[in-house]
Amino acid sequence: MDSILSLSNVSKSYGNFPVLKGIDLDIRKGEFVAILGSNGAGKTTLVKIMSTLSSPSEGVVEISGHNVADDPASVRSMIGVISHETHLYNDLTAEENLRFFGKMYGIRGDGLEDRINELLEQVELSGRSDDRVVTFSRGMKQRLSIARSLIHEPQLLFLDEPYTGLDQHASRTFEKVLQDLDPKDTTRVMVTHDLIRTFQMCNRVVILDHGRIVFDSPMSDVGSAEELKEIYISNVKSHSSI
Ligand code: ADP
């Protein structure tokens, strides 16, 4: 099977408090997987573990066959994370920010300059490439942050509540950028509370409840956004966040 991300028996506890309990999950290349669950279900913890930002207390995470615990550096070059934190340097210009992150991933020379120009165009910031980020509106920072996450053409993209706090322009840009990504090249995993977008965009849905996967299905088996909502309500013990 063409698996890009595999979790075997992954658990995580904070002190004596178990947050993830024996998660087994296999994600294939090209999938766009939504992870749903109420607040506190463990979604962010799971994404942090999948994206090397946190280690599991137990279990194994593999990305493209690399064990994340043994080889975090190789794994980081394959993944990108878009969250509501922008992770930009205010004192650098838009272009300098992208150059900095590109170099961090080992991209150099004309290839890097072409990639920077292409991304600035995609996120509609070409006209502001030489301006320092400190002069940008929140929405512009969000758009630049999307470009930053994609600079190294990650094979696996994690989207952690990407719509939180996005203004309309950033939201539209984000959707356009996502649509332009070739699913063959980029597998996507998105944590969200938005059932309508989940139904429209994703081809697989995983529901997490109290640290366990309680539902995992191709979206083609879910008839409508309304049906997805019913599935969510029947699988989640506390569903205050939808
Ligand atoms: P979700 O993203 O589904 O809302 P989280 O993964 O953020 O859930 O949190 C799951 C549980 O783990 C919550 O009860 C939260 O309070 C707890 N938790 C998350 N991070 C920490 C941490 N660094 N220290 C202690 N508890 C944490």
Side-chain angles (χ1 to χ4, degrees):
M1 184 168 52
D2 227 1
S3 165
I4 187 162
L5 172 65
S6 152
L7 281 78
S8 316
N9 198 25
V10 165
S11 297
K12 175 83 178 178
S13 297
Y14 291 111
N16 288 329
F17 182 65
V19 174
L20 295 176
K21 303 165 189 165
I23 301 280
D24 290 312
L25 182 64
D26 214 43
I27 293 178
R28 291 173 291 280
K29 275 188 191 151
E31 283 192 304
F32 191 164
V33 181
I35 298 185
L36 306 177
S38 60
N39 288 332
K43 304 180 296 299
T44 296
T45 304
L46 182 62
V47 168
K48 280 190 178 157
I49 288 174
M50 294 193 290
S51 59
T52 78
L53 297 173
S54 174
S55 312
S57 311
E58 258 180 77
V60 177
V61 182
E62 284 183 337
I63 293 183
S64 278
H66 296 259
N67 185 323
V68 169
D70 299 340
D71 199 1
S74 311
V75 165
R76 278 186 202 124
S77 67
M78 297 179 218
I79 65 177
V81 181
I82 297 181
S83 70
H84 40 270
E85 288 168 45
T86 54
H87 299 294
L88 296 167
Y89 291 101
N90 272 325
D91 290 335
L92 300 183
T93 66
E95 199 175 284
E96 286 166 348
N97 263 283
L98 295 185
R99 195 170 292 122
F100 173 82
F101 286 103
K103 283 186 176 165
M104 239 175 58
Y105 286 111
I107 316 168
R108 298 270 185 285
D110 288 348
L112 177 57
E113 296 312 308
D114 291 348
R115 182 79 185 134
I116 291 171
N117 291 333
E118 177 190 29
L119 282 168
L120 286 173
E121 206 160 299
Q122 264 189 305
V123 299
E124 297 172 30
L125 284 171
S126 299
R128 298 294 301 266
S129 59
D130 292 332
D131 292 340
R132 289 197 310 150
V133 166
V134 72
T135 66
F136 283 12
S137 68
R138 166 117 189 104
M140 291 165 70
K141 286 183 190 173
Q142 289 163 338
R143 283 185 278 139
L144 185 60
S145 167
I146 293 167
R148 178 195 58 77
S149 312
L150 297 172
I151 188 84
H152 56 304
E153 299 183 79
Q155 299 168 36
L156 182 56
L157 190 57
F158 295 102
L159 311 155
D160 188 4
E161 301 203 22
Y163 289 97
T164 304
L166 286 198
D167 67 10
Q168 278 195 4
H169 189 179
S171 213
R172 271 201 317 276
T173 307
F174 174 63
E175 260 159 24
K176 233 169 48 203
V177 169
L178 274 190
Q179 274 162 12
D180 286 350
L181 291 175
D182 188 337
K184 279 201 314 299
D185 301 329
T186 323
T187 306
R188 285 156 281 181
V189 179
M190 176 164 76
V191 167
T192 180
H193 289 292
D194 187 332
L195 296 185
I196 292 175
R197 281 197 173 105
T198 297
F199 181 73
Q200 289 168 345
M201 298 165 76
C202 302
N203 54 26
R204 178 172 168 192
V205 54
V206 169
I207 301 179
L208 204 62
D209 189 43
H210 291 86
R212 287 201 167 86
I213 292 178
V214 292
F215 183 81
D216 182 354
S217 162
M219 197 62 82
S220 52
D221 289 352
V222 178
S224 61
E226 197 47 43
E227 192 178 320
L228 181 60
K229 187 170 181 185
E230 281 162 26
I231 290 169
Y232 181 87
I233 290 171
S234 64
N235 279 285
V236 169
K237 288 182 193 110
S238 139
H239 41 81
S240 54
S241 57
I242 294 281

